[in-house]
Amino acid sequence: MHLLKSITPSIPKRFQQAIPFLTLLPFVALTGCATPDNVAQQTAPLADQLQTVNQRLDGGLSQALNLAQDASRQATAAQNLAREVDGKVAALDARVGTQARQLESLAGDLAALRASQSGELQRQVNEQVEQQVAQKTAEAEARALAAANARIQAANQSTNGRLDQIEKRLAEVARMAEDALAALGLGPRKIFGKVVHSTTLTDDKTMYPINSPDLGSKDMAKLDAVADYVKKLDVNYHIGIHGHTDGLGSDDYNYDLAKARAEVVKGYLHEQKGIPLLRMSVISHGATDVSAYRQGSNRRIVVEVLQ
């Protein structure tokens, strides 16, 4: 019984159904007639069947053993194959890891190369853009300069033409003025530089105001006398009006002050006494004669008649 249980797992399933029947054979033999003939008759078919079953069991056991051996060999081969596959997989994993690390390194190198190439490319692009901008700027400046030179040249030509016209007109005006003066008897005068009459104005009312139309009464009387004198000389005279100041101010201030005071005298002789402006000239001496003039502060106007 124990033997059957131990070999049952290795017996094919189609023979395992006969195992319970085999275990009942001894009981069947005991339950029949006790006579030998009856037993022989009754057990003959069973013996035959048992023999057939045993034969089948032997064949099945043999086949099962063969199958078990084949399975064992296949399992061993499978284990060997699994170990071989595991070794190959481990080797492949190692190779894949190595290649992955190499790919990562290559990716890093490629990224660095791209970065460096990008920076170099950007620098080159910037240089090209700067060169193009500089070139365009230079071209624009050249065009602007050429246009400006052309305008300046055209303006110079126009100005030169206008200046020529003005000079011609001035020459014509000068000639016409000379003709008019000659017709009036006021042409080139024979003035030998001889002072035939002189008077000095020192009234404070004349000296202090600048461009004032008013003069001191004493100075007006002196200028009236000068006007009466020159009217007797016909056209052959010239009046020089010399302005002097003290030395308190700067040279420029003193010059302007002396000239302004002399212009007041000139205006009076022209507006009040009818003396032609062409017969008079204003000379400013400023404070140049302060040290030489010993009679006062040098604030004075000297009116000289030359002939």
Side-chain angles (χ1 to χ4, degrees), residues 192-246:
F192 301 101
K194 180 181 177 181
V195 177
V196 296
H197 184 76
S198 177
T199 185
T200 301
L201 309 179
T202 58
D203 195 321
D204 288 342
K205 192 174 181 180
T206 302
M207 292 298 102
Y208 284 102
I210 299 175
N211 292 331
S212 173
D214 298 329
L215 295 172
S217 58
K218 295 181 181 180
D219 289 338
M220 286 191 291
K222 293 180 180 180
L223 293 177
D224 292 343
V226 172
D228 293 339
Y229 178 81
V230 296
K231 288 179 180 179
K232 298 177 183 179
L233 298 178
D234 196 9
V235 296
N236 192 19
Y237 71 89
H238 186 79
I239 298 175
I241 305 171
H242 302 264
H244 300 267
T245 65
D246 55 27

Short mmCIF file of all heavy atoms in Angstrom, two decimals, residues 192-246:
data_model
loop_
_atom_site.label_atom_id
_atom_site.label_comp_id
_atom_site.label_asym_id
_atom_site.label_seq_id
_atom_site.Cartn_x
_atom_site.Cartn_y
_atom_site.Cartn_z
N PHE A 192 43.29 169.89 -45.06
CA PHE A 192 44.73 169.75 -44.86
C PHE A 192 45.07 169.37 -43.43
O PHE A 192 46.25 169.30 -43.06
CB PHE A 192 45.43 171.07 -45.23
CG PHE A 192 45.18 171.47 -46.66
CD1 PHE A 192 44.23 172.44 -46.96
CD2 PHE A 192 45.89 170.86 -47.69
CE1 PHE A 192 44.01 172.81 -48.28
CE2 PHE A 192 45.66 171.24 -49.01
CZ PHE A 192 44.72 172.21 -49.30
N GLY A 193 44.06 169.14 -42.57
CA GLY A 193 44.32 168.74 -41.20
C GLY A 193 44.64 169.91 -40.30
O GLY A 193 45.06 169.71 -39.16
N LYS A 194 44.39 171.09 -40.73
CA LYS A 194 44.68 172.25 -39.92
C LYS A 194 43.47 172.58 -39.06
O LYS A 194 42.36 172.72 -39.56
CB LYS A 194 45.02 173.45 -40.81
CG LYS A 194 45.33 174.73 -40.04
CD LYS A 194 45.63 175.87 -41.01
CE LYS A 194 45.89 177.18 -40.26
NZ LYS A 194 46.13 178.28 -41.20
N VAL A 195 43.67 172.68 -37.76
CA VAL A 195 42.59 173.03 -36.86
C VAL A 195 42.43 174.54 -36.88
O VAL A 195 43.33 175.27 -36.47
CB VAL A 195 42.87 172.54 -35.43
CG1 VAL A 195 41.75 172.98 -34.49
CG2 VAL A 195 43.04 171.03 -35.40
N VAL A 196 41.27 174.96 -37.37
CA VAL A 196 41.02 176.40 -37.47
C VAL A 196 40.13 176.89 -36.33
O VAL A 196 40.02 178.12 -36.14
CB VAL A 196 40.38 176.74 -38.83
CG1 VAL A 196 41.34 176.43 -39.96
CG2 VAL A 196 39.07 176.01 -39.02
N HIS A 197 39.52 175.96 -35.62
CA HIS A 197 38.67 176.36 -34.50
C HIS A 197 38.55 175.16 -33.56
O HIS A 197 38.46 174.02 -33.99
CB HIS A 197 37.28 176.80 -34.97
CG HIS A 197 36.41 177.30 -33.86
ND1 HIS A 197 36.58 178.56 -33.29
CD2 HIS A 197 35.38 176.71 -33.19
CE1 HIS A 197 35.68 178.71 -32.34
NE2 HIS A 197 34.93 177.60 -32.26
N SER A 198 38.56 175.44 -32.24
CA SER A 198 38.46 174.35 -31.26
C SER A 198 37.75 174.85 -30.01
O SER A 198 37.94 176.02 -29.61
CB SER A 198 39.86 173.84 -30.88
OG SER A 198 39.76 172.85 -29.89
N THR A 199 36.94 173.97 -29.41
CA THR A 199 36.26 174.29 -28.17
C THR A 199 36.15 173.02 -27.33
O THR A 199 36.07 171.91 -27.87
CB THR A 199 34.85 174.88 -28.42
OG1 THR A 199 34.28 175.27 -27.16
CG2 THR A 199 33.96 173.89 -29.10
N THR A 200 36.16 173.20 -26.01
CA THR A 200 36.12 172.06 -25.09
C THR A 200 34.88 172.15 -24.23
O THR A 200 34.60 173.21 -23.63
CB THR A 200 37.37 172.04 -24.19
OG1 THR A 200 38.55 171.96 -25.03
CG2 THR A 200 37.32 170.83 -23.26
N LEU A 201 34.13 171.02 -24.17
CA LEU A 201 32.91 170.95 -23.38
C LEU A 201 33.21 170.18 -22.09
O LEU A 201 33.71 169.06 -22.12
CB LEU A 201 31.80 170.23 -24.15
CG LEU A 201 31.53 170.75 -25.58
CD1 LEU A 201 30.42 169.94 -26.24
CD2 LEU A 201 31.18 172.23 -25.58
N THR A 202 32.89 170.83 -20.95
CA THR A 202 33.18 170.19 -19.65
C THR A 202 32.00 170.26 -18.70
O THR A 202 32.15 169.93 -17.52
CB THR A 202 34.40 170.85 -19.01
OG1 THR A 202 34.14 172.27 -18.85
CG2 THR A 202 35.65 170.67 -19.86
N ASP A 203 30.85 170.74 -19.15
CA ASP A 203 29.69 170.88 -18.27
C ASP A 203 29.30 169.50 -17.72
O ASP A 203 29.22 168.52 -18.46
CB ASP A 203 28.53 171.50 -19.05
CG ASP A 203 27.45 172.01 -18.12
OD1 ASP A 203 27.17 171.31 -17.11
OD2 ASP A 203 26.87 173.06 -18.42
N ASP A 204 29.04 169.43 -16.39
CA ASP A 204 28.69 168.15 -15.78
C ASP A 204 27.44 167.54 -16.39
O ASP A 204 27.31 166.31 -16.51
CB ASP A 204 28.48 168.32 -14.27
CG ASP A 204 29.79 168.57 -13.54
OD1 ASP A 204 30.84 168.26 -14.15
OD2 ASP A 204 29.77 169.05 -12.41
N LYS A 205 26.49 168.35 -16.81
CA LYS A 205 25.27 167.81 -17.41
C LYS A 205 25.55 167.17 -18.75
O LYS A 205 24.83 166.26 -19.16
CB LYS A 205 24.25 168.94 -17.56
CG LYS A 205 22.86 168.43 -17.91
CD LYS A 205 21.85 169.56 -17.92
CE LYS A 205 20.47 169.02 -18.24
NZ LYS A 205 19.44 170.09 -18.27
N THR A 206 26.59 167.58 -19.37
CA THR A 206 26.99 166.96 -20.64
C THR A 206 27.82 165.72 -20.39
O THR A 206 27.73 164.75 -21.13
CB THR A 206 27.79 167.97 -21.47
OG1 THR A 206 26.98 169.13 -21.70
CG2 THR A 206 28.18 167.36 -22.81
N MET A 207 28.62 165.74 -19.32
CA MET A 207 29.58 164.65 -19.11
C MET A 207 28.94 163.38 -18.54
O MET A 207 29.34 162.27 -18.89
CB MET A 207 30.69 165.13 -18.15
CG MET A 207 31.58 166.22 -18.77
SD MET A 207 32.46 165.67 -20.22
CE MET A 207 31.46 166.42 -21.52
N TYR A 208 27.97 163.54 -17.68
CA TYR A 208 27.49 162.35 -16.98
C TYR A 208 26.41 161.56 -17.72
O TYR A 208 26.46 160.34 -17.76
CB TYR A 208 27.01 162.74 -15.57
CG TYR A 208 28.16 162.99 -14.64
CD1 TYR A 208 28.55 164.30 -14.33
CD2 TYR A 208 28.87 161.92 -14.08
CE1 TYR A 208 29.63 164.54 -13.49
CE2 TYR A 208 29.93 162.17 -13.25
CZ TYR A 208 30.31 163.47 -12.95
OH TYR A 208 31.37 163.71 -12.13
N PRO A 209 25.39 162.17 -18.31
CA PRO A 209 24.39 161.35 -19.01
C PRO A 209 25.01 160.66 -20.22
O PRO A 209 25.90 161.19 -20.88
CB PRO A 209 23.33 162.37 -19.45
CG PRO A 209 23.55 163.55 -18.59
CD PRO A 209 25.03 163.60 -18.33
N ILE A 210 24.51 159.46 -20.51
CA ILE A 210 24.96 158.71 -21.68
C ILE A 210 23.84 158.74 -22.71
O ILE A 210 22.71 158.35 -22.42
CB ILE A 210 25.32 157.26 -21.33
CG1 ILE A 210 26.47 157.26 -20.31
CG2 ILE A 210 25.70 156.46 -22.56
CD1 ILE A 210 26.81 155.88 -19.82
N ASN A 211 24.15 159.17 -23.93
CA ASN A 211 23.16 159.27 -25.01
C ASN A 211 21.97 160.15 -24.60
O ASN A 211 20.85 159.91 -25.03
CB ASN A 211 22.67 157.89 -25.45
CG ASN A 211 23.76 157.09 -26.14
OD1 ASN A 211 24.65 157.65 -26.76
ND2 ASN A 211 23.68 155.77 -26.04
N SER A 212 22.22 161.08 -23.77
CA SER A 212 21.15 161.97 -23.37
C SER A 212 20.99 163.07 -24.41
O SER A 212 21.98 163.62 -24.90
CB SER A 212 21.46 162.60 -22.00
OG SER A 212 20.49 163.58 -21.69
N PRO A 213 19.75 163.41 -24.76
CA PRO A 213 19.56 164.48 -25.77
C PRO A 213 19.79 165.88 -25.19
O PRO A 213 19.83 166.86 -25.93
CB PRO A 213 18.10 164.30 -26.18
CG PRO A 213 17.44 163.70 -24.97
CD PRO A 213 18.48 162.81 -24.35
N ASP A 214 19.91 165.93 -23.88
CA ASP A 214 20.07 167.23 -23.24
C ASP A 214 21.54 167.55 -23.01
O ASP A 214 22.34 166.67 -22.74
CB ASP A 214 19.33 167.27 -21.90
CG ASP A 214 17.82 167.06 -22.07
OD1 ASP A 214 17.30 167.48 -23.13
OD2 ASP A 214 17.20 166.46 -21.18
N LEU A 215 21.84 168.81 -23.11
CA LEU A 215 23.19 169.29 -22.86
C LEU A 215 23.12 170.45 -21.87
O LEU A 215 22.07 171.09 -21.69
CB LEU A 215 23.85 169.78 -24.15
CG LEU A 215 24.11 168.72 -25.23
CD1 LEU A 215 24.58 169.39 -26.52
CD2 LEU A 215 25.15 167.72 -24.77
N GLY A 216 24.27 170.72 -21.27
CA GLY A 216 24.31 171.88 -20.41
C GLY A 216 24.19 173.17 -21.22
O GLY A 216 24.54 173.22 -22.40
N SER A 217 23.68 174.20 -20.59
CA SER A 217 23.45 175.47 -21.30
C SER A 217 24.76 176.08 -21.79
O SER A 217 24.82 176.62 -22.90
CB SER A 217 22.72 176.46 -20.37
OG SER A 217 23.50 176.67 -19.17
N LYS A 218 25.83 175.96 -21.00
CA LYS A 218 27.11 176.50 -21.43
C LYS A 218 27.62 175.76 -22.66
O LYS A 218 28.13 176.38 -23.59
CB LYS A 218 28.12 176.41 -20.28
CG LYS A 218 27.78 177.27 -19.08
CD LYS A 218 28.85 177.14 -17.99
CE LYS A 218 28.52 177.97 -16.78
NZ LYS A 218 29.54 177.86 -15.70
N ASP A 219 27.47 174.44 -22.66
CA ASP A 219 27.95 173.64 -23.79
C ASP A 219 27.12 173.90 -25.04
O ASP A 219 27.66 173.94 -26.16
CB ASP A 219 27.91 172.14 -23.44
CG ASP A 219 28.98 171.80 -22.41
OD1 ASP A 219 29.97 172.56 -22.30
OD2 ASP A 219 28.85 170.74 -21.73
N MET A 220 25.83 174.05 -24.88
CA MET A 220 25.00 174.37 -26.05
C MET A 220 25.40 175.71 -26.66
O MET A 220 25.41 175.86 -27.89
CB MET A 220 23.52 174.37 -25.65
CG MET A 220 22.94 172.97 -25.44
SD MET A 220 21.14 172.96 -25.29
CE MET A 220 20.93 173.79 -23.70
N ALA A 221 25.73 176.65 -25.82
CA ALA A 221 26.17 177.96 -26.35
C ALA A 221 27.46 177.81 -27.12
O ALA A 221 27.63 178.41 -28.20
CB ALA A 221 26.35 178.95 -25.19
N LYS A 222 28.38 176.97 -26.63
CA LYS A 222 29.64 176.75 -27.35
C LYS A 222 29.38 176.06 -28.69
O LYS A 222 30.01 176.39 -29.70
CB LYS A 222 30.58 175.90 -26.50
CG LYS A 222 31.07 176.63 -25.24
CD LYS A 222 32.01 175.72 -24.45
CE LYS A 222 32.53 176.43 -23.19
NZ LYS A 222 33.44 175.59 -22.39
N LEU A 223 28.47 175.07 -28.72
CA LEU A 223 28.17 174.36 -29.96
C LEU A 223 27.46 175.27 -30.95
O LEU A 223 27.69 175.17 -32.18
CB LEU A 223 27.33 173.11 -29.66
CG LEU A 223 28.04 172.01 -28.88
CD1 LEU A 223 27.08 170.86 -28.58
CD2 LEU A 223 29.26 171.48 -29.66
N ASP A 224 26.62 176.17 -30.47
CA ASP A 224 25.96 177.13 -31.37
C ASP A 224 27.00 178.01 -32.03
O ASP A 224 26.90 178.33 -33.25
CB ASP A 224 24.97 177.98 -30.58
CG ASP A 224 23.77 177.17 -30.08
OD1 ASP A 224 23.56 176.04 -30.62
OD2 ASP A 224 23.07 177.63 -29.15
N ALA A 225 28.01 178.36 -31.26
CA ALA A 225 29.08 179.20 -31.82
C ALA A 225 29.86 178.43 -32.87
O ALA A 225 30.26 178.98 -33.91
CB ALA A 225 30.02 179.67 -30.71
N VAL A 226 30.11 177.12 -32.64
CA VAL A 226 30.81 176.31 -33.64
C VAL A 226 30.00 176.22 -34.92
O VAL A 226 30.53 176.34 -36.04
CB VAL A 226 31.08 174.90 -33.07
CG1 VAL A 226 31.62 173.98 -34.17
CG2 VAL A 226 32.07 174.98 -31.92
N ALA A 227 28.66 176.02 -34.80
CA ALA A 227 27.79 175.93 -35.98
C ALA A 227 27.82 177.23 -36.77
O ALA A 227 27.90 177.22 -38.03
CB ALA A 227 26.37 175.58 -35.54
N ASP A 228 27.76 178.35 -36.09
CA ASP A 228 27.82 179.63 -36.80
C ASP A 228 29.16 179.80 -37.50
O ASP A 228 29.23 180.34 -38.62
CB ASP A 228 27.60 180.78 -35.80
CG ASP A 228 26.18 180.78 -35.23
OD1 ASP A 228 25.28 180.17 -35.90
OD2 ASP A 228 25.99 181.32 -34.13
N TYR A 229 30.20 179.31 -36.89
CA TYR A 229 31.54 179.47 -37.48
C TYR A 229 31.67 178.65 -38.76
O TYR A 229 32.16 179.15 -39.77
CB TYR A 229 32.59 179.05 -36.45
CG TYR A 229 34.00 179.13 -36.97
CD1 TYR A 229 34.68 180.35 -37.00
CD2 TYR A 229 34.65 177.99 -37.44
CE1 TYR A 229 35.98 180.42 -37.49
CE2 TYR A 229 35.94 178.05 -37.92
CZ TYR A 229 36.61 179.27 -37.95
OH TYR A 229 37.89 179.34 -38.45
N VAL A 230 31.26 177.39 -38.75
CA VAL A 230 31.47 176.52 -39.92
C VAL A 230 30.56 176.92 -41.07
O VAL A 230 30.89 176.68 -42.25
CB VAL A 230 31.24 175.05 -39.56
CG1 VAL A 230 32.26 174.59 -38.54
CG2 VAL A 230 29.82 174.80 -39.07
N LYS A 231 29.39 177.53 -40.77
CA LYS A 231 28.50 177.94 -41.86
C LYS A 231 29.13 179.05 -42.71
O LYS A 231 28.77 179.21 -43.88
CB LYS A 231 27.17 178.41 -41.29
CG LYS A 231 26.31 177.26 -40.74
CD LYS A 231 25.01 177.75 -40.17
CE LYS A 231 24.16 176.60 -39.64
NZ LYS A 231 22.88 177.07 -39.04
N LYS A 232 30.08 179.78 -42.13
CA LYS A 232 30.77 180.82 -42.88
C LYS A 232 31.88 180.25 -43.75
O LYS A 232 32.42 180.97 -44.59
CB LYS A 232 31.36 181.85 -41.91
CG LYS A 232 30.31 182.58 -41.09
CD LYS A 232 30.96 183.53 -40.10
CE LYS A 232 29.93 184.23 -39.22
NZ LYS A 232 30.55 185.15 -38.24
N LEU A 233 32.22 178.95 -43.53
CA LEU A 233 33.31 178.35 -44.29
C LEU A 233 32.84 177.66 -45.57
O LEU A 233 33.64 177.03 -46.26
CB LEU A 233 34.03 177.31 -43.41
CG LEU A 233 34.69 177.86 -42.13
CD1 LEU A 233 35.30 176.72 -41.34
CD2 LEU A 233 35.78 178.88 -42.49
N ASP A 234 31.59 177.76 -45.89
CA ASP A 234 31.01 177.10 -47.07
C ASP A 234 31.12 175.58 -46.90
O ASP A 234 30.69 175.03 -45.89
CB ASP A 234 31.69 177.62 -48.33
CG ASP A 234 30.90 177.30 -49.59
OD1 ASP A 234 29.75 176.82 -49.45
OD2 ASP A 234 31.43 177.45 -50.68
N VAL A 235 31.74 174.87 -47.85
CA VAL A 235 31.76 173.40 -47.78
C VAL A 235 33.15 172.86 -47.45
O VAL A 235 33.33 171.66 -47.32
CB VAL A 235 31.28 172.79 -49.11
CG1 VAL A 235 29.83 173.15 -49.37
CG2 VAL A 235 32.17 173.26 -50.26
N ASN A 236 34.10 173.70 -47.32
CA ASN A 236 35.47 173.24 -47.16
C ASN A 236 35.84 173.18 -45.68
O ASN A 236 36.65 173.96 -45.18
CB ASN A 236 36.43 174.18 -47.90
CG ASN A 236 37.82 173.59 -48.00
OD1 ASN A 236 37.99 172.37 -47.84
ND2 ASN A 236 38.80 174.45 -48.26
N TYR A 237 35.22 172.19 -44.93
CA TYR A 237 35.52 172.03 -43.51
C TYR A 237 35.13 170.60 -43.09
O TYR A 237 34.40 169.89 -43.77
CB TYR A 237 34.78 173.06 -42.67
CG TYR A 237 33.29 172.81 -42.58
CD1 TYR A 237 32.75 172.00 -41.57
CD2 TYR A 237 32.43 173.40 -43.51
CE1 TYR A 237 31.40 171.78 -41.51
CE2 TYR A 237 31.08 173.17 -43.45
CZ TYR A 237 30.55 172.35 -42.45
OH TYR A 237 29.20 172.11 -42.39
N HIS A 238 35.61 170.28 -41.87
CA HIS A 238 35.22 169.00 -41.26
C HIS A 238 35.33 169.17 -39.75
O HIS A 238 36.25 169.81 -39.24
CB HIS A 238 36.13 167.86 -41.72
CG HIS A 238 35.67 166.51 -41.20
ND1 HIS A 238 34.64 165.81 -41.77
CD2 HIS A 238 36.10 165.75 -40.15
CE1 HIS A 238 34.46 164.67 -41.12
NE2 HIS A 238 35.34 164.61 -40.13
N ILE A 239 34.39 168.58 -39.03
CA ILE A 239 34.34 168.71 -37.58
C ILE A 239 34.72 167.36 -36.96
O ILE A 239 34.09 166.32 -37.24
CB ILE A 239 32.94 169.11 -37.10
CG1 ILE A 239 32.56 170.48 -37.67
CG2 ILE A 239 32.90 169.16 -35.57
CD1 ILE A 239 31.15 170.90 -37.33
N GLY A 240 35.72 167.39 -36.10
CA GLY A 240 36.12 166.19 -35.37
C GLY A 240 35.69 166.30 -33.92
O GLY A 240 36.02 167.28 -33.25
N ILE A 241 34.92 165.35 -33.42
CA ILE A 241 34.39 165.39 -32.06
C ILE A 241 35.12 164.31 -31.26
O ILE A 241 34.94 163.10 -31.50
CB ILE A 241 32.88 165.15 -32.04
CG1 ILE A 241 32.17 166.16 -32.98
CG2 ILE A 241 32.33 165.26 -30.62
CD1 ILE A 241 30.70 165.87 -33.19
N HIS A 242 35.95 164.70 -30.28
CA HIS A 242 36.81 163.79 -29.53
C HIS A 242 36.27 163.63 -28.11
O HIS A 242 36.12 164.61 -27.38
CB HIS A 242 38.24 164.34 -29.47
CG HIS A 242 38.84 164.57 -30.82
ND1 HIS A 242 39.65 163.66 -31.44
CD2 HIS A 242 38.74 165.64 -31.68
CE1 HIS A 242 40.03 164.12 -32.61
NE2 HIS A 242 39.49 165.36 -32.79
N GLY A 243 36.00 162.34 -27.72
CA GLY A 243 35.49 162.08 -26.38
C GLY A 243 36.58 161.53 -25.48
O GLY A 243 37.39 160.69 -25.87
N HIS A 244 36.62 162.07 -24.21
CA HIS A 244 37.61 161.66 -23.21
C HIS A 244 36.89 161.32 -21.90
O HIS A 244 35.86 161.92 -21.58
CB HIS A 244 38.63 162.77 -22.97
CG HIS A 244 39.39 163.16 -24.19
ND1 HIS A 244 40.61 162.61 -24.53
CD2 HIS A 244 39.10 164.09 -25.17
CE1 HIS A 244 41.04 163.17 -25.65
NE2 HIS A 244 40.14 164.08 -26.06
N THR A 245 37.45 160.37 -21.14
CA THR A 245 36.89 159.99 -19.83
C THR A 245 38.01 159.95 -18.80
O THR A 245 39.20 160.02 -19.14
CB THR A 245 36.21 158.60 -19.87
OG1 THR A 245 37.20 157.61 -20.13
CG2 THR A 245 35.13 158.55 -20.94
N ASP A 246 37.60 159.78 -17.51
CA ASP A 246 38.58 159.58 -16.45
C ASP A 246 39.03 158.12 -16.46
O ASP A 246 38.60 157.32 -17.29
CB ASP A 246 38.02 159.99 -15.08
CG ASP A 246 36.72 159.25 -14.78
OD1 ASP A 246 36.52 158.12 -15.31
OD2 ASP A 246 35.88 159.78 -14.02
#
